[in-house]
Amino acid sequence: MKKKILTLLILSISLISCNSQEKNIMTENPLLKNIKKYDFEPIYDLKVETVYNYDIWINDILILSKHSNDMSYNSTIATPTILKSGKQSLKVKIYPYKPIKKEGNEGNEGNEGLPQKNYLKNGIEFNLKLEQSSWIKGGGGREEPKEVLTYELPLYETDSNGETNYNKPIDYSTQSELTKEFTFIAKVPYELEGWENSEDLTKIDSLELKENVLKFYQNFRSAFENGDSDAYINYISKAEYQMFQCYYPPLSQAKEKSRKWIEFASKGKVFEPIESGKLQFSGNGKVVSIRGVKSWDKNEGVLRYRYTKNGFNYVLVFDIFLHKPKGSKNFEIVWYNMLDKNFFKREAK
């Protein structure tokens, strides 16, 4: 009898050990092996310089935002918003700037600024530039960039000959925001489906849609908090593959970067409570996300992980955009952005 009990005990311990080993067995994104390399690998860089606040979309996907006085120059690689060669759209919304606080703005916890201005101000510059360069084959960095699109907010009226009339400044002081739309031609070697053929989410009841998006966010957050890297990979794999394809990294480099996030997800991170936020459509109604509405997280993602490094407080923002592939009833991540920024006292719950 004792021998049977001992045998059962050993078997039970063995099964527990096997089950623990089976957890989180995925160590890499299996889709990364599909990344292709090309002779021509263009990169599109978006650069903006202004004290104004703004949101910028390429192909109706939010690519760059500023809603604070932290910086006047901002840039990002815009290539992942370009699914295939041809005509692309760019939209920018310019908002009043947030004046910098004159006193008490020293250190990591200061610089909270003054209340938002209600209207644009005359004489404030806004400069946008979209450039295209490409990786030099065989190494050696990137080629000299070429201008694809430039826009400077005009500060003065022009006369009948198209000459600037410096005696007639343009009055923006009654406008609470300004929207400009442009098109440009892009050439890329790949063709990605992305959100192009996805379901039209605007046809779904907005309250039901928001509830389901929040539920997806909660499940994604739980994967991190439970250290479930398998779930994380399943959530992110398709979007991560498409993102990497647009950057053209060597496969080993893509896998290494991906593994760092998998390792991060496996450690069990406690996120901030998810704020309800505002439901926002993009991708011509085929992509949806929930955006922050407070002064410190305006139009940012609501999945936020706070941490301290070298005595400074930071917040890592997971900005997750969802779609439903054609014929599917389930959400998938189609686009994401990671924002690492200072965390100020005013953000504390």
Side-chain angles (χ1 to χ4, degrees):
M1 183 66 178
K2 287 183 179 179
K3 191 172 182 180
K4 284 186 178 180
I5 293 173
L6 183 60
T7 302
L8 287 171
L9 182 61
I10 292 171
L11 180 60
S12 298
I13 292 171
S14 177
L15 287 172
I16 291 170
S17 176
C18 287
N19 287 336
S20 65
Q21 289 175 4
E22 287 174 3
K23 186 180 179 182
N24 299 336
I25 57 173
M26 293 178 69
T27 58
E28 64 180 43
N29 181 347
L31 298 182
L32 296 187
K33 65 179 182 293
N34 298 319
I35 294 174
K36 296 179 181 178
K37 297 291 290 177
Y38 301 93
D39 291 335
F40 175 61
E41 296 180 334
I43 295 290
Y44 289 83
D45 293 297
L46 179 63
K47 302 176 181 180
V48 179
E49 189 167 7
T50 185
V51 298
Y52 276 137
N53 291 331
Y54 54 81
D55 291 314
I56 301 174
W57 296 261
I58 291 181
N59 294 325
D60 202 32
I61 295 294
L62 184 66
I63 184 66
L64 195 61
S65 287
K66 175 182 177 292
H67 290 277
S68 69
N69 57 11
D70 293 340
M71 64 187 78
S72 60
Y73 176 81
N74 206 356
S75 66
T76 189
I77 295 178
T79 321
T81 60
I82 300 171
L83 299 178
K84 60 183 179 182
S85 296
K87 189 176 181 181
Q88 320 291 325
S89 66
L90 186 150
K91 180 172 73 174
V92 55
K93 281 192 175 184
I94 304 171
Y95 312 109
Y97 70 98
K98 189 175 183 181
I100 295 176
K101 194 173 183 179
K102 298 297 183 183
E103 297 179 1
N105 64 344
E106 296 85 4
N108 181 244
E109 301 292 357
N111 200 18
E112 296 186 16
L114 298 172
Q116 187 86 7
K117 290 285 187 180
N118 293 324
Y119 299 99
L120 302 178
K121 186 176 180 180
N122 296 335
I124 302 296
E125 294 183 348
F126 178 94
N127 299 311
L128 177 150
K129 185 182 294 185
L130 182 67
E131 297 178 334
Q132 181 255 304
S133 62
S134 61
W135 293 108
I136 298 173
K137 195 173 181 181
R142 287 161 63 175
E143 296 177 347
E144 283 295 314
K146 303 171 185 176
E147 287 189 359
V148 175
L149 187 155
T150 60
Y151 172 71
E152 293 183 7
L153 180 68
L155 301 181
Y156 299 91
E157 295 183 9
T158 55
D159 59 26
S160 57
N161 297 319
E163 297 292 329
T164 301
N165 187 340
Y166 292 101
N167 295 317
K168 291 187 176 181
I170 298 175
D171 184 15
Y172 294 107
S173 62
T174 61
Q175 299 186 55
S176 58
E177 67 177 52
L178 183 66
T179 301
K180 293 291 181 181
E181 298 189 29
F182 310 91
T183 59
F184 64 95
I185 301 298
K187 184 179 180 181
V188 291
Y190 56 79
E191 186 167 332
L192 301 172
E193 184 174 3
W195 54 90
E196 198 168 52
N197 298 313
S198 302
E199 295 289 335
D200 184 356
L201 301 176
T202 62
K203 296 178 180 179
I204 303 174
D205 176 77
S206 60
L207 293 178
E208 177 189 349
L209 182 62
K210 186 176 182 181
E211 181 181 346
N212 289 331
V213 172
L214 282 171
K215 188 180 296 183
F216 187 101
Y217 283 4
Q218 292 284 8
N219 291 337
F220 182 81
R221 176 176 177 258
S222 295
F224 277 92
E225 296 194 337
N226 296 332
D228 191 347
S229 57
D230 278 10
Y232 166 75
I233 294 173
N234 287 329
Y235 279 126
I236 208 77
S237 58
K238 291 182 180 179
E240 185 181 59
Y241 153 68
Q242 292 195 126
M243 193 76 72
F244 275 126
Q245 180 59 83
C246 299
Y247 292 123
Y248 322 103
L251 181 58
S252 59
Q253 189 180 103
K255 285 184 175 182
E256 179 61 27
K257 288 185 177 181
S258 179
R259 283 194 196 105
K260 287 182 179 179
W261 283 109
I262 294 170
E263 183 181 347
F264 179 86
S266 70
K267 291 182 177 179
K269 304 293 183 179
V270 179
F271 278 51
E272 295 288 287
I274 295 178
E275 296 286 334
S276 178
K278 175 183 68 173
L279 189 73
Q280 186 178 95
F281 294 102
S282 52
N284 301 312
K286 298 176 181 180
V287 177
V288 69
S289 62
I290 294 178
R291 323 302 303 160
V293 294
K294 294 185 171 63
S295 60
W296 63 80
D297 69 352
K298 189 173 182 181
N299 223 10
E300 293 178 357
V302 295
L303 286 160
R304 308 168 77 84
Y305 168 69
R306 189 170 64 169
Y307 67 98
T308 301
K309 184 177 180 181
N310 298 327
F312 293 95
N313 296 320
Y314 297 92
V315 60
L316 181 60
V317 182
F318 289 74
D319 204 353
I320 303 298
F321 295 75
L322 307 179
H323 79 138
K324 288 185 177 181
K326 196 69 175 177
S328 176
K329 295 182 179 180
N330 300 319
F331 281 121
E332 292 182 1
I333 299 174
V334 70
W335 164 268
Y336 66 95
N337 188 29
M338 306 298 192
L339 172 65
D340 207 2
K341 67 170 197 171
N342 293 108
F343 182 94
F344 298 117
K345 283 181 179 178
R346 64 185 184 274
E347 299 186 40
K349 302 292 185 292

